[in-house]
Amino acid sequence: MTSHAAPTNRPSDPAVASMRLAVVEVTRHRPHAAEYHAYVDDMNARVQATAEAAGWRASRLAAGDLGTVELLRATDDADAIVVLGGEDLSPRVYGGSTGYPGEGRHDPVADEAQLALVRRAVARRTPVLGVCRGHQVINVALGGDLVQHLDDHEGLHRTPEAPVDRLMHPHAVSLESGSRLARALGAEPVGQSAHHQAVGRLGDGLRVVGRAVDGTVEAVEHVSAPIVGVQWHPEDKGAPAGQLEALLASLAASVLAGRLAGAGASRTDREALVA
């Protein structure tokens, strides 16, 4: 499968050029699923390439290959994080049962590492974008659970019985007016998705800001931290043009807002000390 190289145009904004982005995936090795891995690897490479074209200093990191300690160390200086798609989360991390329809392999090392990463990001107010599995990781990290299998007979969320490179299915998403995602993408973006699970019970501090026509949760945002999740794949080659760029720009805006807030707090502290 052909990888997508980063475009050569780069922005002049020095603020973006100083930002470090951790692009976190499940694993760089799936010898048991070559076709699936090639498709996922292509999408993950597109995120890094698109981020670098926008000026980010982006690094790809595989949670299941690194483990919790190394992933946290490698992302310690990240200004923002994107948690990408992949395998189902193990039911044990949200109190679910095994044996559900469509269950495949799990990667418990990646699960624990990504959950720890999101919890630290919330505590530090590090901006995070979760995509598909990453969106679900955000919810589970904050105490939520998942709908283990969608009865998607109409093929709204994925193309039924299709080969891996044709599973993606476009559908409309209704976003809450005034949400960060609506400001970035508009009120009714098209989501390119291929999932059989979804956010169930909502995690602490999260609110639903997007749903599909069948009511499935498609987007969440944290009420105070710069954390957002989308159930679809803006990084897929069939996604609407500019969607991934818009989400990365929103992530950069959150980083900049945090820097400005930190600078303002520092000035206030210095003024208080002088007084």
Side-chain angles (χ1 to χ4, degrees):
M1 185 168 295
T2 302
S3 294
H4 291 252
T8 56
N9 59 304
R10 301 185 68 84
S12 58
D13 185 353
V16 178
S18 71
M19 294 178 186
R20 299 172 299 277
L21 181 68
V23 179
V24 181
E25 56 197 300
V26 174
T27 180
R28 298 298 293 271
H29 308 284
R30 292 184 180 90
H32 59 280
E35 284 188 72
Y36 174 70
H37 181 73
Y39 197 91
V40 172
D41 187 62
D42 188 61
M43 289 195 294
N44 295 349
R46 189 176 291 110
V47 175
Q48 182 181 22
T50 303
E52 289 176 344
W56 293 88
R57 290 184 285 152
S59 301
R60 278 177 70 180
L61 301 162
D65 303 343
L66 293 174
T68 302
V69 172
E70 282 304 306
L71 181 64
L72 292 178
R73 183 197 61 76
T75 56
D76 190 53
D77 65 349
D79 294 297
I81 299 163
V82 180
V83 184
L84 294 170
E87 287 75 4
D88 293 353
L89 283 162
S90 170
R92 72 179 183 81
V93 299
Y94 56 85
S97 302
T98 59
Y100 57 86
E103 182 176 10
R105 286 175 176 252
H106 302 293
D107 192 324
V109 175
D111 294 348
E112 295 297 341
Q114 290 182 339
L115 292 169
L117 180 64
V118 168
R119 289 173 184 137
R120 186 181 70 178
V122 173
R124 291 182 172 184
R125 298 300 191 261
T126 303
V128 175
L129 169 64
V131 173
C132 194
R133 169 191 160 98
H135 158 79
Q136 296 169 9
V137 167
I138 290 170
N139 191 56
V140 172
L142 297 176
D145 69 5
L146 302 180
V147 177
Q148 290 191 301
H149 188 69
L150 297 170
D151 292 325
D152 188 21
H153 301 300
E154 302 302 317
L156 175 64
H157 300 285
R158 60 189 285 160
T159 305
E161 306 301 324
V164 68
D165 62 340
R166 298 180 186 174
L167 281 172
M168 291 288 177
H169 185 78
H171 63 86
V173 177
S174 294
L175 293 178
E176 184 176 310
S177 176
S179 64
R180 280 170 278 184
L181 284 168
R183 290 195 296 271
L185 301 176
E188 293 191 6
V190 172
Q192 184 85 335
S193 67
H195 62 102
H196 80 112
Q197 296 190 311
V199 164
R201 183 184 70 250
L202 208 57
D204 295 339
L206 296 176
R207 65 187 186 110
V208 175
V209 298
R211 293 186 185 272
V213 67
D214 65 353
T216 298
V217 175
E218 291 283 335
V220 297
E221 293 181 358
H222 196 277
V223 297
S224 59
I227 312 288
V228 301
V230 297
Q231 184 59 73
W232 67 91
H233 287 275
E235 80 283 21
D236 183 67
K237 60 186 176 183
Q243 192 173 90
L244 177 58
E245 288 85 349
L247 289 170
L248 290 173
S250 180
L251 204 61
S254 293
V255 173
L256 186 57
R259 288 179 177 179
L260 292 173
S266 297
R267 284 195 298 269
T268 301
D269 292 342
R270 286 196 300 269
E271 289 167 0
L273 287 171
V274 171

